[in-house]
Each structure stands twice: as C-alpha cells, then as structure tokens.
Tab-separated table of all heavy atoms in Angstrom:
chain	number	residue	atom	x	y	z
A	1	SER	N	-21.270	-98.299	215.590
A	1	SER	CA	-21.126	-98.850	216.942
A	1	SER	C	-21.884	-97.966	217.933
A	1	SER	O	-22.217	-96.813	217.625
A	1	SER	CB	-19.654	-98.927	217.317
A	1	SER	OG	-19.076	-97.632	217.362
A	2	PRO	N	-22.155	-98.473	219.150
A	2	PRO	CA	-22.859	-97.636	220.148
A	2	PRO	C	-22.099	-96.372	220.514
A	2	PRO	O	-22.721	-95.378	220.929
A	2	PRO	CB	-22.985	-98.572	221.360
A	2	PRO	CG	-22.911	-99.945	220.788
A	2	PRO	CD	-21.998	-99.864	219.615
A	3	GLU	N	-20.748	-96.378	220.377
A	3	GLU	CA	-19.983	-95.173	220.689
A	3	GLU	C	-20.169	-94.105	219.625
A	3	GLU	O	-20.117	-92.896	219.915
A	3	GLU	CB	-18.496	-95.494	220.838
A	3	GLU	CG	-18.146	-96.307	222.082
A	3	GLU	CD	-18.481	-97.774	221.908
A	3	GLU	OE1	-18.764	-98.188	220.755
A	3	GLU	OE2	-18.470	-98.509	222.918
A	4	GLU	N	-20.396	-94.526	218.379
A	4	GLU	CA	-20.548	-93.559	217.292
A	4	GLU	C	-21.959	-92.974	217.250
A	4	GLU	O	-22.135	-91.764	217.137
A	4	GLU	CB	-20.222	-94.221	215.957
A	4	GLU	CG	-18.762	-94.650	215.853
A	4	GLU	CD	-18.488	-95.414	214.579
A	4	GLU	OE1	-19.456	-95.866	213.926
A	4	GLU	OE2	-17.309	-95.583	214.231
A	5	ARG	N	-22.943	-93.843	217.334
A	5	ARG	CA	-24.334	-93.398	217.337
A	5	ARG	C	-25.114	-94.202	218.380
A	5	ARG	O	-24.818	-95.371	218.636
A	5	ARG	CB	-24.989	-93.600	215.960
A	5	ARG	CG	-24.471	-92.648	214.891
A	5	ARG	CD	-25.304	-92.801	213.624
A	5	ARG	NE	-24.821	-91.933	212.552
A	5	ARG	CZ	-25.383	-91.870	211.347
A	5	ARG	NH1	-26.443	-92.621	211.066
A	5	ARG	NH2	-24.893	-91.066	210.419
A	6	ASP	N	-26.099	-93.559	218.944
A	6	ASP	CA	-26.914	-94.244	219.946
A	6	ASP	C	-27.714	-95.369	219.285
A	6	ASP	O	-28.279	-95.176	218.183
A	6	ASP	CB	-27.875	-93.259	220.603
A	6	ASP	CG	-27.128	-92.237	221.450
A	6	ASP	OD1	-26.000	-92.554	221.894
A	6	ASP	OD2	-27.676	-91.132	221.658
A	7	PRO	N	-27.792	-96.514	219.939
A	7	PRO	CA	-28.610	-97.602	219.382
A	7	PRO	C	-30.085	-97.212	219.342
A	7	PRO	O	-30.552	-96.334	220.075
A	7	PRO	CB	-28.363	-98.773	220.344
A	7	PRO	CG	-27.092	-98.433	221.055
A	7	PRO	CD	-27.062	-96.923	221.141
A	8	ILE	N	-30.823	-97.892	218.486
A	8	ILE	CA	-32.232	-97.571	218.251
A	8	ILE	C	-33.099	-98.695	218.839
A	8	ILE	O	-32.871	-99.876	218.555
A	8	ILE	CB	-32.511	-97.420	216.748
A	8	ILE	CG1	-31.631	-96.301	216.165
A	8	ILE	CG2	-33.993	-97.123	216.490
A	8	ILE	CD1	-31.728	-96.178	214.665
A	9	PRO	N	-34.105	-98.353	219.644
A	9	PRO	CA	-34.996	-99.400	220.168
A	9	PRO	C	-35.926	-99.916	219.085
A	9	PRO	O	-36.138	-99.279	218.039
A	9	PRO	CB	-35.765	-98.682	221.284
A	9	PRO	CG	-35.740	-97.246	220.892
A	9	PRO	CD	-34.428	-97.024	220.182
A	10	LEU	N	-36.497	-101.089	219.340
A	10	LEU	CA	-37.445	-101.685	218.394
A	10	LEU	C	-38.794	-100.986	218.507
A	10	LEU	O	-39.154	-100.442	219.548
A	10	LEU	CB	-37.600	-103.181	218.671
A	10	LEU	CG	-36.319	-104.020	218.575
A	10	LEU	CD1	-36.631	-105.477	218.908
A	10	LEU	CD2	-35.702	-103.920	217.189
A	11	SER	N	-39.534	-101.023	217.422
A	11	SER	CA	-40.871	-100.439	217.393
A	11	SER	C	-41.878	-101.511	217.813
A	11	SER	O	-42.143	-102.471	217.070
A	11	SER	CB	-41.201	-99.923	215.984
A	11	SER	OG	-42.491	-99.394	215.946
A	12	ILE	N	-42.409	-101.388	219.040
A	12	ILE	CA	-43.314	-102.393	219.603
A	12	ILE	C	-44.690	-101.759	219.793
A	12	ILE	O	-44.827	-100.706	220.431
A	12	ILE	CB	-42.761	-102.917	220.954
A	12	ILE	CG1	-41.414	-103.610	220.712
A	12	ILE	CG2	-43.753	-103.870	221.611
A	12	ILE	CD1	-40.741	-104.108	221.965
A	13	TYR	N	-45.694	-102.417	219.223
A	13	TYR	CA	-47.051	-101.897	219.292
A	13	TYR	C	-47.723	-102.213	220.627
A	13	TYR	O	-48.381	-101.361	221.216
A	13	TYR	CB	-47.884	-102.470	218.143
A	13	TYR	CG	-47.413	-102.048	216.767
A	13	TYR	CD1	-47.277	-102.970	215.743
A	13	TYR	CD2	-47.111	-100.719	216.504
A	13	TYR	CE1	-46.860	-102.583	214.479
A	13	TYR	CE2	-46.689	-100.310	215.234
A	13	TYR	CZ	-46.566	-101.255	214.230
A	13	TYR	OH	-46.137	-100.864	212.991
A	14	HIS	N	-47.608	-103.434	221.072
A	14	HIS	CA	-48.251	-103.858	222.320
A	14	HIS	C	-47.422	-105.010	222.912
A	14	HIS	O	-46.501	-105.531	222.271
A	14	HIS	CB	-49.704	-104.282	222.070
A	14	HIS	CG	-49.842	-105.385	221.064
A	14	HIS	ND1	-49.801	-106.725	221.410
A	14	HIS	CD2	-50.013	-105.355	219.713
A	14	HIS	CE1	-49.944	-107.454	220.322
A	14	HIS	NE2	-50.075	-106.646	219.279
A	15	MET	N	-47.758	-105.376	224.123
A	15	MET	CA	-46.999	-106.428	224.818
A	15	MET	C	-47.932	-107.594	225.149
A	15	MET	O	-48.658	-107.561	226.151
A	15	MET	CB	-46.377	-105.877	226.109
A	15	MET	CG	-45.235	-104.913	225.859
A	15	MET	SD	-44.342	-104.507	227.375
A	15	MET	CE	-45.570	-103.547	228.235
A	16	PRO	N	-47.958	-108.618	224.293
A	16	PRO	CA	-48.781	-109.799	224.611
A	16	PRO	C	-48.115	-110.651	225.705
A	16	PRO	O	-46.910	-110.931	225.650
A	16	PRO	CB	-48.859	-110.555	223.284
A	16	PRO	CG	-47.647	-110.136	222.542
A	16	PRO	CD	-47.331	-108.731	222.964
A	17	ILE	N	-48.891	-111.048	226.669
A	17	ILE	CA	-48.390	-111.829	227.809
A	17	ILE	C	-49.286	-113.052	227.973
A	17	ILE	O	-50.524	-112.943	227.935
A	17	ILE	CB	-48.368	-110.978	229.087
A	17	ILE	CG1	-47.374	-109.833	228.930
A	17	ILE	CG2	-48.001	-111.834	230.303
A	17	ILE	CD1	-47.450	-108.816	230.035
A	18	SER	N	-48.655	-114.193	228.187
A	18	SER	CA	-49.390	-115.448	228.334
A	18	SER	C	-49.766	-115.668	229.796
A	18	SER	O	-48.963	-115.431	230.705
A	18	SER	CB	-48.547	-116.620	227.820
A	18	SER	OG	-49.198	-117.847	228.059
A	19	VAL	N	-50.992	-116.132	230.005
A	19	VAL	CA	-51.485	-116.494	231.337
A	19	VAL	C	-51.993	-117.934	231.265
A	19	VAL	O	-52.823	-118.256	230.400
A	19	VAL	CB	-52.604	-115.546	231.819
A	19	VAL	CG1	-53.095	-115.960	233.203
A	19	VAL	CG2	-52.107	-114.110	231.819
A	20	SER	N	-51.507	-118.777	232.160
A	20	SER	CA	-51.841	-120.205	232.135
A	20	SER	C	-52.848	-120.534	233.222
A	20	SER	O	-52.736	-120.060	234.360
A	20	SER	CB	-50.580	-121.060	232.331
A	20	SER	OG	-49.665	-120.842	231.277
A	21	PHE	N	-53.826	-121.390	232.851
A	21	PHE	CA	-54.843	-121.875	233.780
A	21	PHE	C	-54.809	-123.404	233.759
A	21	PHE	O	-54.807	-124.016	232.682
A	21	PHE	CB	-56.245	-121.390	233.381
A	21	PHE	CG	-56.383	-119.895	233.331
A	21	PHE	CD1	-56.092	-119.195	232.168
A	21	PHE	CD2	-56.801	-119.187	234.434
A	21	PHE	CE1	-56.224	-117.826	232.101
A	21	PHE	CE2	-56.929	-117.804	234.384
A	21	PHE	CZ	-56.639	-117.126	233.227
A	22	SER	N	-54.791	-124.010	234.917
A	22	SER	CA	-54.802	-125.467	235.014
A	22	SER	C	-56.134	-125.920	235.597
A	22	SER	O	-56.661	-125.299	236.532
A	22	SER	CB	-53.651	-125.963	235.902
A	22	SER	OG	-53.713	-125.370	237.180
A	23	PHE	N	-56.671	-127.012	235.035
A	23	PHE	CA	-57.964	-127.541	235.449
A	23	PHE	C	-57.768	-128.909	236.103
A	23	PHE	O	-56.914	-129.705	235.675
A	23	PHE	CB	-58.903	-127.665	234.245
A	23	PHE	CG	-59.295	-126.340	233.646
A	23	PHE	CD1	-58.548	-125.780	232.620
A	23	PHE	CD2	-60.404	-125.656	234.110
A	23	PHE	CE1	-58.901	-124.565	232.070
A	23	PHE	CE2	-60.761	-124.434	233.571
A	23	PHE	CZ	-60.007	-123.889	232.545
A	24	PHE	N	-58.595	-129.160	237.137
A	24	PHE	CA	-58.515	-130.409	237.888
A	24	PHE	C	-59.913	-131.009	238.008
A	24	PHE	O	-60.915	-130.275	237.971
A	24	PHE	CB	-57.936	-130.159	239.290
A	24	PHE	CG	-56.578	-129.517	239.282
A	24	PHE	CD1	-56.449	-128.136	239.234
A	24	PHE	CD2	-55.423	-130.283	239.299
A	24	PHE	CE1	-55.212	-127.535	239.221
A	24	PHE	CE2	-54.178	-129.685	239.287
A	24	PHE	CZ	-54.063	-128.318	239.246
A	25	GLN	N	-59.966	-132.316	238.165
A	25	GLN	CA	-61.231	-133.054	238.314
A	25	GLN	C	-62.182	-132.741	237.156
A	25	GLN	O	-63.347	-132.401	237.360
A	25	GLN	CB	-61.882	-132.710	239.661
A	25	GLN	CG	-61.026	-132.977	240.884
A	25	GLN	CD	-60.791	-134.449	241.116
A	25	GLN	OE1	-61.489	-135.299	240.565
A	25	GLN	NE2	-59.789	-134.781	241.928
A	26	GLN	N	-61.640	-132.859	235.935
A	26	GLN	CA	-62.421	-132.650	234.714
A	26	GLN	C	-63.065	-131.262	234.660
A	26	GLN	O	-64.250	-131.108	234.316
A	26	GLN	CB	-63.489	-133.736	234.577
A	26	GLN	CG	-62.943	-135.134	234.440
A	26	GLN	CD	-62.085	-135.293	233.184
A	26	GLN	OE1	-62.427	-134.760	232.118
A	26	GLN	NE2	-60.987	-136.037	233.297
A	27	GLY	N	-62.274	-130.239	235.016
A	27	GLY	CA	-62.747	-128.870	234.913
A	27	GLY	C	-63.497	-128.355	236.118
A	27	GLY	O	-64.006	-127.225	236.088
A	28	THR	N	-63.579	-129.144	237.199
A	28	THR	CA	-64.307	-128.681	238.385
A	28	THR	C	-63.552	-127.575	239.108
A	28	THR	O	-64.158	-126.604	239.577
A	28	THR	CB	-64.550	-129.863	239.339
A	28	THR	OG1	-65.175	-130.924	238.623
A	28	THR	CG2	-65.435	-129.439	240.507
A	29	TYR	N	-62.237	-127.714	239.205
A	29	TYR	CA	-61.420	-126.747	239.938
A	29	TYR	C	-60.435	-126.082	238.979
A	29	TYR	O	-59.946	-126.699	238.027
A	29	TYR	CB	-60.663	-127.434	241.079
A	29	TYR	CG	-61.564	-128.161	242.032
A	29	TYR	CD1	-61.664	-129.546	241.996
A	29	TYR	CD2	-62.331	-127.474	242.965
A	29	TYR	CE1	-62.500	-130.223	242.865
A	29	TYR	CE2	-63.167	-128.133	243.839
A	29	TYR	CZ	-63.249	-129.524	243.786
A	29	TYR	OH	-64.079	-130.179	244.644
A	30	LEU	N	-60.139	-124.809	239.264
A	30	LEU	CA	-59.294	-123.985	238.390
A	30	LEU	C	-58.214	-123.308	239.227
A	30	LEU	O	-58.485	-122.816	240.331
A	30	LEU	CB	-60.164	-122.927	237.696
A	30	LEU	CG	-59.440	-121.783	236.975
A	30	LEU	CD1	-58.687	-122.318	235.772
A	30	LEU	CD2	-60.439	-120.703	236.572
A	31	LEU	N	-56.977	-123.294	238.702
A	31	LEU	CA	-55.859	-122.626	239.359
A	31	LEU	C	-55.123	-121.770	238.344
A	31	LEU	O	-55.013	-122.132	237.163
A	31	LEU	CB	-54.882	-123.631	239.968
A	31	LEU	CG	-55.352	-124.446	241.183
A	31	LEU	CD1	-54.225	-125.343	241.665
A	31	LEU	CD2	-55.823	-123.544	242.300
A	32	VAL	N	-54.600	-120.638	238.817
A	32	VAL	CA	-53.783	-119.744	237.997
A	32	VAL	C	-52.314	-119.934	238.384
A	32	VAL	O	-52.002	-120.106	239.563
A	32	VAL	CB	-54.208	-118.274	238.191
A	32	VAL	CG1	-53.318	-117.339	237.384
A	32	VAL	CG2	-55.661	-118.094	237.797
A	33	ASP	N	-51.430	-119.912	237.405
A	33	ASP	CA	-49.992	-120.048	237.622
A	33	ASP	C	-49.678	-121.346	238.376
A	33	ASP	O	-49.254	-121.328	239.532
A	33	ASP	CB	-49.443	-118.839	238.383
A	33	ASP	CG	-47.932	-118.899	238.565
A	33	ASP	OD1	-47.255	-119.567	237.770
A	33	ASP	OD2	-47.427	-118.267	239.521
A	34	PRO	N	-49.899	-122.512	237.737
A	34	PRO	CA	-49.650	-123.778	238.438
A	34	PRO	C	-48.163	-124.009	238.668
A	34	PRO	O	-47.316	-123.642	237.846
A	34	PRO	CB	-50.241	-124.828	237.495
A	34	PRO	CG	-50.144	-124.197	236.143
A	34	PRO	CD	-50.344	-122.731	236.358
A	35	SER	N	-47.842	-124.622	239.788
A	35	SER	CA	-46.454	-124.997	240.081
A	35	SER	C	-46.133	-126.337	239.423
A	35	SER	O	-46.978	-126.958	238.765
A	35	SER	CB	-46.232	-125.085	241.595
A	35	SER	OG	-47.046	-126.096	242.149
A	36	GLU	N	-44.907	-126.787	239.614
A	36	GLU	CA	-44.469	-128.013	238.928
A	36	GLU	C	-45.248	-129.227	239.423
A	36	GLU	O	-45.631	-130.094	238.634
A	36	GLU	CB	-42.962	-128.186	239.171
A	36	GLU	CG	-42.316	-129.259	238.306
A	36	GLU	CD	-42.157	-130.565	239.048
A	36	GLU	OE1	-42.232	-130.551	240.288
A	36	GLU	OE2	-41.986	-131.605	238.389
A	37	ARG	N	-45.503	-129.322	240.722
A	37	ARG	CA	-46.256	-130.461	241.252
A	37	ARG	C	-47.734	-130.387	240.852
A	37	ARG	O	-48.365	-131.422	240.610
A	37	ARG	CB	-46.131	-130.511	242.773
A	37	ARG	CG	-44.749	-130.930	243.247
A	37	ARG	CD	-44.704	-131.035	244.765
A	37	ARG	NE	-43.400	-131.470	245.212
A	37	ARG	CZ	-43.036	-132.741	245.361
A	37	ARG	NH1	-43.902	-133.696	245.095
A	37	ARG	NH2	-41.838	-133.070	245.781
A	38	GLU	N	-48.270	-129.184	240.788
A	38	GLU	CA	-49.666	-129.049	240.361
A	38	GLU	C	-49.825	-129.395	238.890
A	38	GLU	O	-50.883	-129.896	238.488
A	38	GLU	CB	-50.142	-127.625	240.643
A	38	GLU	CG	-50.266	-127.299	242.122
A	38	GLU	CD	-50.500	-125.834	242.400
A	38	GLU	OE1	-50.324	-125.024	241.460
A	38	GLU	OE2	-50.836	-125.493	243.546
A	39	GLU	N	-48.798	-129.145	238.074
A	39	GLU	CA	-48.878	-129.500	236.662
A	39	GLU	C	-48.894	-131.012	236.464
A	39	GLU	O	-49.432	-131.504	235.468
A	39	GLU	CB	-47.689	-128.895	235.902
A	39	GLU	CG	-47.809	-127.397	235.672
A	39	GLU	CD	-46.642	-126.859	234.874
A	39	GLU	OE1	-45.665	-127.621	234.681
A	39	GLU	OE2	-46.691	-125.697	234.441
A	40	ARG	N	-48.327	-131.757	237.407
A	40	ARG	CA	-48.297	-133.209	237.254
A	40	ARG	C	-49.660	-133.857	237.477
A	40	ARG	O	-49.930	-134.928	236.922
A	40	ARG	CB	-47.296	-133.819	238.239
A	40	ARG	CG	-45.846	-133.461	237.953
A	40	ARG	CD	-44.934	-134.311	238.809
A	40	ARG	NE	-43.529	-133.962	238.654
A	40	ARG	CZ	-42.530	-134.657	239.176
A	40	ARG	NH1	-42.792	-135.734	239.896
A	40	ARG	NH2	-41.284	-134.281	238.998
A	41	VAL	N	-50.486	-133.231	238.292
A	41	VAL	CA	-51.777	-133.837	238.623
A	41	VAL	C	-52.938	-133.169	237.904
A	41	VAL	O	-54.092	-133.557	238.105
A	41	VAL	CB	-52.014	-133.779	240.151
A	41	VAL	CG1	-50.960	-134.568	240.880
A	41	VAL	CG2	-52.045	-132.348	240.655
A	42	MET	N	-52.667	-132.167	237.057
A	42	MET	CA	-53.767	-131.469	236.387
A	42	MET	C	-54.295	-132.315	235.231
A	42	MET	O	-53.594	-133.165	234.659
A	42	MET	CB	-53.288	-130.106	235.878
A	42	MET	CG	-52.289	-130.180	234.761
A	42	MET	SD	-51.740	-128.534	234.252
A	42	MET	CE	-50.597	-128.957	232.945
A	43	ASP	N	-55.563	-132.063	234.893
A	43	ASP	CA	-56.206	-132.770	233.780
A	43	ASP	C	-56.101	-132.003	232.470
A	43	ASP	O	-56.123	-132.611	231.397
A	43	ASP	CB	-57.683	-133.007	234.105
A	43	ASP	CG	-57.856	-133.930	235.300
A	43	ASP	OD1	-56.950	-134.757	235.530
A	43	ASP	OD2	-58.877	-133.825	235.997
A	44	GLY	N	-56.014	-130.679	232.529
A	44	GLY	CA	-55.937	-129.883	231.310
A	44	GLY	C	-55.308	-128.532	231.577
A	44	GLY	O	-55.236	-128.075	232.722
C-alpha cells in the first residue's frame, strides 16, 4: 500500500501530443484548434 512503500511512477520516454488543423474552402484556409462551430463547416 502507499503507506507501506512509496508508489512508483511510470517510465515515460517522451510525451506525444496531438495538434489538430482544420481546412476550409478545399484547403485554401487553415485554422489551428478549431471550435465546435468551426468543425461543422470545415472541409477536412
């Protein structure tokens, strides 16, 4: 238990993070971190 011995953290090599890009007008315009309304009108 944690009272008997200290817990051990996981061995993590790196931290992969996802970044989303939304495209509009067939790739003419680009946005980072689209909101919910922007996701409805995006093309890709």
Side-chain angles (χ1 to χ4, degrees):
S1 63
E3 290 78 12
E4 295 175 345
R5 289 187 182 181
D6 292 336
I8 301 174
L10 301 179
S11 179
I12 297 177
Y13 296 134
H14 57 89
M15 289 190 291
I17 295 170
S18 175
V19 180
S20 298
F21 301 88
S22 56
F23 293 91
F24 303 87
Q25 303 292 344
Q26 297 298 320
T28 307
Y29 304 104
L30 167 67
L31 291 182
V32 177
D33 183 24
S35 63
E36 191 261 343
R37 289 183 178 271
E38 292 170 347
E39 285 182 350
R40 293 191 184 188
V41 298
M42 68 182 180
D43 296 333

